[in-house]
């Protein structure tokens, strides 16, 4: 229990005046907080509305592209193909902008349907898709150095964690396998393991080399993402335009 301040007046009237002033100050503070809360709610509503509009624009563009592809024949087919290419570029930009704040795990699952009706649901736990077996693997081991940091005892391996990252070197893909052995101290049974190196897309599959290649191809070489997707598919690596757009958006948010 706190002791009362020593400088309080003895007069009851003076005490009442102090209480009245504090009550007035509390009322002013309460009104100020209420105004700030109302402003925050308005900003949140505006942000949600903006996201919903982007989602609607993306769906509208997808439907337009699908409809144009069905009628892309005859004398006007060249004009229609040019229009499809322009719409593909617009769709890439919208998807990149909308992906800057996405869930990192969801970046490797860009085709999952998202509700734009305002209803919320519990997120499903998604597992990152495995990388193709035909790609060459390069293993990078992150071994703990020295003895047990807690007691100085000898360490023995009891397991390991493996994280596969999709990398790109000029001409082909490869997979970087980050192997982090789990070691146990023979003396105090403490567990020791080196941390995972920092990745440009947290818990995502792309390496910095692959992201740099996609960005340079798009912005320096003017190669749209849907064309990059087709090139990668011929190399045996299916990377959809939506997935590449998500990665581009994530890179943009990192560089802000």
């Amino acid at each position: 229990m706190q002791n009362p301040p020593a400088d309080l007046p003895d007069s009851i009237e003076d005490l009442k005046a102090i209480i009245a002033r504090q009550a007035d100050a509390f009322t002013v503070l309460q009104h100020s907080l209420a105004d700030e809360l109302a402003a925050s709610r308005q900003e949140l509503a505006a942000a949600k509305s903006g996201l919903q509009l982007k989602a609607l624009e993306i769906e509208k563009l997808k439907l337009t592209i699908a409809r144009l592809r069905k009628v892309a024949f005859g004398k006007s087919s060249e004009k229609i193909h040019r229009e499809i290419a322009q719409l593909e570029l617009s769709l890439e930009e919208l998807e990149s902008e909308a992906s800057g704040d996405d869930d990192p795990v969801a970046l490797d699952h860009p085709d999952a349907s998202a509700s734009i009706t305002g209803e919320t649901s519990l997120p499903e736990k998604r597992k990152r898709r495995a990388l193709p077996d035909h790609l060459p693997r390069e293993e990078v081991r992150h071994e703990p150095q020295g003895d047990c940091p807690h007691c100085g005892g000898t360490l023995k391996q009891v397991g390991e964690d493996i994280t596969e990252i999709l990398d790109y070197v000029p001409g082909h893909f490869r997979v970087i396998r980050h192997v982090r052995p789990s070691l146990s101290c023979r003396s105090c049974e403490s567990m020791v393991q080196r941390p995972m190196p920092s990745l440009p897309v947290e818990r995502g599959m792309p390496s910095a080399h692959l992201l740099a290649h996609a960005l340079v191809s798009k912005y320096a070489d003017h190669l749209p993402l849907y064309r990059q997707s087709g090139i990668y598919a011929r190399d045996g690596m299916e990377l959809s335009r939506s997935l590449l757009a998500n990665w581009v958006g994530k890179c943009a948010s990192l560089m802000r």
Side-chain angles (χ1 to χ4, degrees):
M1 182 176 179
Q2 294 182 347
N3 295 324
D7 57 349
L8 285 176
D10 296 328
S11 170
I12 294 178
E13 295 301 325
D14 291 340
L15 288 173
K16 288 182 178 180
I18 292 175
I19 293 173
R21 287 196 297 271
Q22 290 181 342
D24 291 340
F26 178 76
T27 301
V28 172
L29 177 61
Q30 192 175 28
H31 289 162
S32 175
L33 291 175
D35 292 340
E36 291 181 8
L37 180 60
S40 298
R41 286 175 175 171
Q42 289 178 354
E43 292 177 0
L44 180 60
K48 286 183 177 179
S49 177
L51 288 175
Q52 290 177 355
L53 286 175
K54 282 187 178 180
L56 288 172
E57 289 181 32
I58 288 173
E59 292 303 318
K60 182 179 178 180
L61 280 173
K62 286 181 177 179
L63 290 173
T64 303
I65 291 171
R67 187 165 58 249
L68 286 173
R69 281 176 174 162
K70 289 183 179 180
V71 298
F73 61 90
K75 295 181 179 179
S76 60
S77 61
E78 184 177 349
K79 179 180 178 181
I80 292 177
H81 283 303
R82 286 199 300 268
E83 187 173 349
I84 290 175
Q86 290 298 321
L87 290 174
E88 291 275 11
L89 291 175
S90 300
L91 183 58
E92 287 178 11
E93 296 302 323
L94 279 173
E95 289 180 330
S96 297
E97 292 174 6
S99 67
D101 299 322
D102 278 351
D103 176 12
V105 177
L107 294 179
D108 292 339
H109 301 268
D111 298 323
S113 59
S115 172
I116 56 174
T117 60
E119 298 177 359
T120 58
S121 58
L122 292 176
E124 295 182 1
K125 190 173 183 180
R126 291 175 293 211
K127 184 178 179 181
R128 196 179 76 174
R129 63 172 177 169
L131 293 172
D133 293 333
H134 71 272
L135 295 179
R137 258 70 174 171
E138 178 179 315
E139 189 169 290
V140 179
R141 297 190 66 85
H142 306 276
E143 301 276 0
Q145 302 297 319
D147 297 324
C148 177
H150 302 286
C151 70
T154 303
L155 298 173
K156 64 176 180 179
Q157 183 168 339
V158 295
E160 63 184 17
D161 289 340
I162 299 176
T163 303
E164 292 195 337
I165 301 300
L166 182 63
D167 192 26
Y168 183 83
V169 293
H172 69 277
F173 287 98
R174 65 177 180 178
V175 177
I176 305 296
R177 301 179 80 243
H178 290 276
V179 181
R180 298 181 297 124
S182 301
L183 305 183
S184 173
C185 177
R186 296 180 183 272
S187 300
C188 67
E189 298 185 354
S190 297
M191 297 297 296
V192 178
Q193 185 182 51
R194 291 189 63 181
M196 179 67 190
S198 177
L199 299 174
V201 177
E202 184 183 358
R203 292 182 290 157
M205 73 163 70
S207 71
H209 292 159
L210 175 56
L211 293 173
H213 176 74
L215 291 173
V216 170
S217 297
K218 175 175 172 59
Y219 294 109
D221 299 334
H222 308 291
L223 188 63
L225 296 181
Y226 72 92
R227 290 184 179 172
Q228 291 188 49
S229 177
I231 293 172
Y232 299 151
R234 290 197 297 271
D235 288 338
M237 188 65 225
E238 296 289 341
L239 299 175
S240 68
R241 185 210 62 245
S242 298
L243 176 58
L244 294 173
N246 272 315
W247 290 351
V248 170
K250 192 64 177 178
C251 290
S253 67
L254 288 174
M255 291 185 286
R256 289 193 185 108

